[in-house]
Amino acid sequence: MNLTSSVTNQLKIKYPIFQAGMAGSTSPELVAAVSNSGGLGIIGAGYFNAEQLEQHIQEVKMLTSRPFAVNLFVPGNQEVVTEQVMHMNAWLKPYRRAFNLEEPVLNIQEQTQFESAIEIVIAQSVPIVTFTFGVPEKDLIDKLHRHNITVVGTATSVEEAIENERAGLDMVVAQGSEAGGHRGSFLQTSGQYGALVGTMSLVPQIVDNVTIPVIAAGGIMDARGVVASLILGAEAVQMGTAFLTCIESNANDLLKNAIFNSAETDTVITKAFSGKPARGIDNEFIHNMQRYDDEIPAYPIQNELTNAIRKKAAQLGDAEMTHLWSGQTPRLAQSIAASQLMSQIITDTQNILQNE
Amino acid sequence: MNLTSSVTNQLKIKYPIFQAGMAGSTSPELVAAVSNSGGLGIIGAGYFNAEQLEQHIQEVKMLTSRPFAVNLFVPGNQEVVTEQVMHMNAWLKPYRRAFNLEEPVLNIQEQTQFESAIEIVIAQSVPIVTFTFGVPEKDLIDKLHRHNITVVGTATSVEEAIENERAGLDMVVAQGSEAGGHRGSFLQTSGQYGALVGTMSLVPQIVDNVTIPVIAAGGIMDARGVVASLILGAEAVQMGTAFLTCIESNANDLLKNAIFNSAETDTVITKAFSGKPARGIDNEFIHNMQRYDDEIPAYPIQNELTNAIRKKAAQLGDAEMTHLWSGQTPRLAQSIAASQLMSQIITDTQNILQNE
């Protein structure tokens, strides 16, 4: 076994390692460092407007000539349900008062931002786009393909992976339940948080049921996880938390320190911050919201309703009132440069493979 | 890397593969077949009285001269809370009426059974005992050690693994959230079901924090999972569901067929059947119990309250009213002899290792 595969060949990267496109936490420096190290840096563009995305792409291009990707959220186009919003605003009122904040005016730009983002990645010749929260329409995938853009999707179950392949995506990230941040689920399950299948279970079952290459994600932090994932049948891995705590990441010190100081049992899945299930370190905001007796407004409405609270809390160093996305392997998180992490992982991976 | 390790050396087995001691589902034929194939067959003795345990041990000894183990449940000695029992009996009344069953008389023999079981494994020179639901008292571990019995524990978190080592256990099974059947958790967490950490995350973090050998469990069904686990730092693996569907297993066809026909997203964690969290295929009994508005009586009280319902339902082929324990990798379940499964896994494992 070696590290080249259809993933590295098709994406023209040296090593089968993706740095997850963590919306709000990636920086051009991080993305470029990963790509310059032979992996695939991914701009976490889920929350960006057109200007932010253009700027990030240009800054990445100044720092690397290697391939990189952009991650986008497939719009859900959820209706704003006025009673839900009123009810949530009442719940959030004391939080806002504590931080001296007004009730926000909702300004949902989800569809518009998505469409601009597509135009931008095409205009900027970004070679790879990764999608979360659903599969894009066939027309869109065809359009991206006509512009020689490789399209990568996300699946949290075998059915979702099959859906990705059927829709024409070129590759799929198999996101195990260990993964930090937003769950990429888009098909209904009996559970309220979508499919929560561990990486050890999920990867071989998806590999056996699709023909497109599979990228494993969820709990992978070092060479052990990389090689284990390749053994399970993945052709590459995607790491989030591992890069989130790197020096170049855009995550604030509050979040990085929370990860460094947490145990593998400290995370929960919650819709409290954004309206979509996401894994993060448990805290007061999440805990309190468990008593909320109505539907939490869907993403991106809840995300907008809590945004100012979260930002202010983070600025003030209040870890109880902001989102602390993290996977289930925080004990392996390191505070090093991304290039150093890549170099460690690649060396260790090669050692493991030589000793087989 | 090869398949010998301190686990195979200390237990005197050829291959680092344990067949999980699944209470109620193991048979002497299954246990012996695994041991005869070079793995470690484990008698699932958690529910056995003294006579049942003696008989099983003797039958296994007639079928194999290789090492085998017995799995026991560390007693929790939970109080019977009369109001809880009355309330639950009221809830279960319609179920019992449907199956023509009387209200059972509780006869909790947990501690007595455990103590007899210890005497029996010593008297019968069983070489290895595995424990779930807690760490045994130091005196007990010392006693087992004096009789040259290797003691293996279970952990669902790093803290629990450290506790196992501190208590003097020789090895620890790291049980990831993918695992089917009862969760081996014994330390409190903020979640109601104990630690639920995926195998990909759990194994390396436990390996890094204990010096005793670690056996990986949770979602492992074939050589890919075996080798992946060894790469993550485990020195052996324990498989449950993979052996549950083998021909020799004592699981009824209802359960085996439910597993063959289920997807990886069909399981949930529930206390409904036994009072302890366990992973099984979702069904009506579990679903209804989610509306129950009181504390479910602790194990083994709930287990006794629902026992007759579950047995009758299984006899009548009613999959909605009995427990259907399964891990998260049902798509890889096979209906073959255990010796054939072992031979497949060993051959495939050796192939993977040669191709590294």
Side-chain angles (χ1 to χ4, degrees):
Chain A
M1 169 177 285
N2 60 44
L3 299 178
T4 57
S5 66
S6 53
V7 170
T8 54
N9 289 340
Q10 189 169 346
L11 303 186
K12 304 186 178 30
I13 58 179
K14 191 164 183 194
Y15 302 114
I17 295 169
F18 293 15
Q19 157 258 305
M22 298 169 283
S25 294
T26 66
S27 67
E29 290 75 17
L30 174 66
V31 174
V34 174
S35 289
N36 281 332
S37 301
L40 183 71
I42 305 179
I43 297 175
Y47 302 136
F48 285 167
N49 60 33
E51 292 69 36
Q52 289 165 318
L53 180 54
E54 289 257 29
Q55 177 161 0
H56 269 73
I57 292 173
Q58 275 155 26
E59 286 183 36
V60 168
K61 282 178 165 180
M62 290 197 296
L63 296 170
T64 184
S65 53
R66 307 268 200 122
F68 64 93
V70 168
N71 172 261
L72 298 176
F73 294 169
V74 177
N77 292 320
Q78 295 288 332
E79 297 258 316
V80 176
V81 180
T82 313
E83 300 79 33
Q84 282 184 8
V85 172
M86 283 176 56
H87 198 172
M88 180 56 72
N89 275 330
W91 177 270
L92 294 175
K93 195 163 183 174
Y95 296 83
R96 290 181 181 135
R97 190 181 307 122
F99 289 119
N100 239 338
L101 296 166
E102 298 297 321
E103 194 174 287
V105 174
L106 287 179
N107 183 20
I108 309 294
Q109 296 291 328
E110 202 190 15
Q111 185 65 36
T112 323
Q113 268 179 211
F114 181 72
E115 290 169 6
S116 322
I118 295 298
E119 294 312 311
I120 291 166
V121 298
I122 290 173
Q124 296 282 337
S125 306
V126 174
I128 305 138
V129 180
T130 77
F131 289 98
T132 337
F133 299 156
V135 291
E137 301 279 335
K138 189 180 190 317
D139 288 350
L140 173 53
I141 296 173
D142 290 347
K143 180 174 182 173
L144 293 167
H145 280 158
R146 282 197 304 276
H147 287 90
N148 297 317
I149 296 175
T150 306
V151 186
V152 182
T154 308
T156 62
S157 70
V158 171
E159 263 203 70
E160 287 181 350
I162 291 171
E163 196 51 39
N164 267 266
E165 176 159 35
R166 189 181 300 141
L169 283 91
D170 303 300
M171 309 177 179
V172 65
V173 173
Q175 185 196 38
S177 53
E178 292 93 325
H182 281 100
R183 301 293 308 151
S185 310
F186 57 92
L187 293 179
Q188 281 278 69
T189 65
S190 54
Q192 57 168 330
Y193 295 137
L196 291 171
V197 181
T199 304
M200 177 72 72
S201 281
L202 187 66
V203 172
Q205 289 176 107
I206 285 184
V207 165
D208 287 354
N209 280 279
V210 296
T211 63
I212 55 177
V214 176
I215 299 108
I220 301 158
M221 299 287 280
D222 62 15
R224 292 176 290 186
V226 173
V227 179
S229 299
L230 300 179
I231 296 285
L232 290 175
E235 295 187 46
V237 304
Q238 176 166 284
M239 295 188 291
T241 308
F243 286 110
L244 188 79
T245 59
C246 282
I247 313 279
E248 304 91 330
S249 116
N250 196 37
N252 55 42
D253 287 342
L254 187 76
L255 173 53
K256 291 181 182 181
N257 288 333
I259 292 170
F260 293 137
N261 292 314
S262 67
E264 74 288 356
T265 47
D266 288 337
T267 68
V268 293
I269 307 276
T270 182
K271 291 183 185 179
F273 292 113
S274 69
K276 256 197 193 299
R279 181 180 289 288
I281 295 167
D282 202 7
N283 65 8
E284 227 179 283
F285 188 96
I286 294 172
H287 204 73
N288 292 347
M289 190 72 75
Q290 279 160 1
R291 292 197 312 270
Y292 189 72
D293 64 353
D294 191 4
E295 287 292 311
I296 293 175
Y299 179 89
I301 297 130
Q302 181 69 359
N303 202 54
E304 285 203 16
L305 291 176
T306 67
N307 191 36
I309 296 166
R310 295 183 279 111
K311 275 191 157 63
K312 199 66 179 279
Q315 275 168 23
L316 297 176
D318 184 349
E320 297 303 321
M321 294 291 144
T322 187
H323 57 287
L324 302 170
W325 302 146
S326 169
Q328 287 190 313
T329 325
R331 295 175 187 265
L332 302 187
Q334 301 180 73
S335 176
I336 56 177
S339 56
Q340 193 182 340
L341 177 64
M342 284 291 288
S343 149
Q344 235 184 51
I345 289 178
I346 290 153
T347 303
D348 291 347
T349 295
Q350 286 164 338
N351 284 342
I352 293 175
L353 292 176
Q354 269 155 26
N355 292 339
E356 288 308 298
Chain B
M1 171 177 287
N2 59 43
L3 299 178
T4 58
S5 65
S6 53
V7 170
T8 54
N9 288 340
Q10 190 171 346
L11 303 185
K12 300 184 179 34
I13 57 179
K14 191 166 182 190
Y15 301 114
I17 296 170
F18 293 14
Q19 156 258 305
M22 299 169 282
S25 293
T26 67
S27 67
E29 290 75 18
L30 175 66
V31 173
V34 174
S35 290
N36 281 333
S37 298
L40 183 70
I42 306 179
I43 297 175
Y47 302 136
F48 284 168
N49 60 34
E51 291 70 37
Q52 288 167 318
L53 179 54
E54 290 256 28
Q55 175 160 1
H56 268 71
I57 291 173
Q58 275 155 25
E59 287 184 34
V60 168
K61 282 178 165 182
M62 292 197 293
L63 296 171
T64 185
S65 54
R66 306 271 199 120
F68 64 93
V70 168
N71 172 261
L72 299 176
F73 294 169
V74 177
N77 293 321
Q78 296 289 331
E79 298 258 317
V80 176
V81 180
T82 313
E83 300 78 33
Q84 281 184 9
V85 172
M86 282 176 56
H87 198 171
M88 180 55 72
N89 276 329
W91 177 270
L92 293 176
K93 195 163 184 175
Y95 295 82
R96 290 182 182 134
R97 190 181 305 124
F99 289 118
N100 238 338
L101 297 166
E102 297 297 319
E103 194 174 287
V105 174
L106 287 179
N107 183 21
I108 309 293
Q109 296 291 326
E110 202 189 16
Q111 186 64 36
T112 324
Q113 266 180 214
F114 182 71
E115 289 169 9
S116 324
I118 294 297
E119 294 312 312
I120 291 166
V121 297
I122 290 174
Q124 295 282 337
S125 304
V126 175
I128 304 137
V129 180
T130 77
F131 290 98
T132 337
F133 299 157
V135 291
E137 301 279 334
K138 189 181 190 317
D139 287 350
L140 173 53
I141 295 173
D142 289 346
K143 179 174 182 175
L144 292 168
H145 280 159
R146 281 198 303 276
H147 286 90
N148 296 317
I149 296 175
T150 307
V151 187
V152 183
T154 307
T156 62
S157 69
V158 170
E159 265 203 70
E160 288 181 349
I162 290 171
E163 196 52 39
N164 267 265
E165 176 158 35
R166 188 181 300 142
L169 282 92
D170 302 299
M171 308 176 179
V172 66
V173 173
Q175 186 195 37
S177 54
E178 292 95 324
H182 281 99
R183 301 293 308 150
S185 310
F186 57 91
L187 294 178
Q188 282 278 69
T189 64
S190 55
Q192 59 167 330
Y193 294 138
L196 289 171
V197 182
T199 304
M200 176 72 73
S201 280
L202 187 67
V203 172
Q205 289 177 108
I206 285 184
V207 165
D208 288 354
N209 280 280
V210 297
T211 64
I212 55 177
V214 177
I215 299 108
I220 300 157
M221 299 287 281
D222 62 13
R224 292 176 290 186
V226 173
V227 180
S229 300
L230 300 179
I231 296 287
L232 291 175
E235 295 188 45
V237 304
Q238 176 165 283
M239 294 188 289
T241 308
F243 287 111
L244 188 80
T245 59
C246 282
I247 312 280
E248 305 91 330
S249 117
N250 196 38
N252 54 43
D253 286 343
L254 186 75
L255 173 53
K256 292 182 182 181
N257 288 333
I259 292 170
F260 293 137
N261 292 315
S262 68
E264 74 289 356
T265 47
D266 287 338
T267 69
V268 292
I269 307 275
T270 182
K271 292 184 186 179
F273 291 114
S274 70
K276 256 200 194 295
R279 181 181 289 288
I281 296 167
D282 201 8
N283 63 10
E284 227 178 282
F285 189 97
I286 294 172
H287 202 74
N288 292 347
M289 190 71 75
Q290 280 160 2
R291 290 197 315 270
Y292 190 71
D293 65 352
D294 192 4
E295 287 291 311
I296 293 175
Y299 178 88
I301 295 131
Q302 181 68 359
N303 203 52
E304 286 203 15
L305 292 176
T306 66
N307 192 34
I309 296 165
R310 293 183 281 111
K311 274 192 159 58
K312 199 65 178 282
Q315 273 169 26
L316 297 176
D318 183 349
E320 297 303 320
M321 294 291 146
T322 188
H323 57 286
L324 302 169
W325 302 146
S326 168
Q328 288 190 314
T329 325
R331 295 176 187 265
L332 302 187
Q334 303 180 72
S335 176
I336 55 178
S339 55
Q340 193 181 343
L341 177 64
M342 285 291 288
S343 148
Q344 237 185 49
I345 289 178
I346 291 153
T347 303
D348 291 348
T349 294
Q350 287 165 337
N351 284 342
I352 293 174
L353 292 175
Q354 269 156 26
N355 291 339
E356 286 308 299

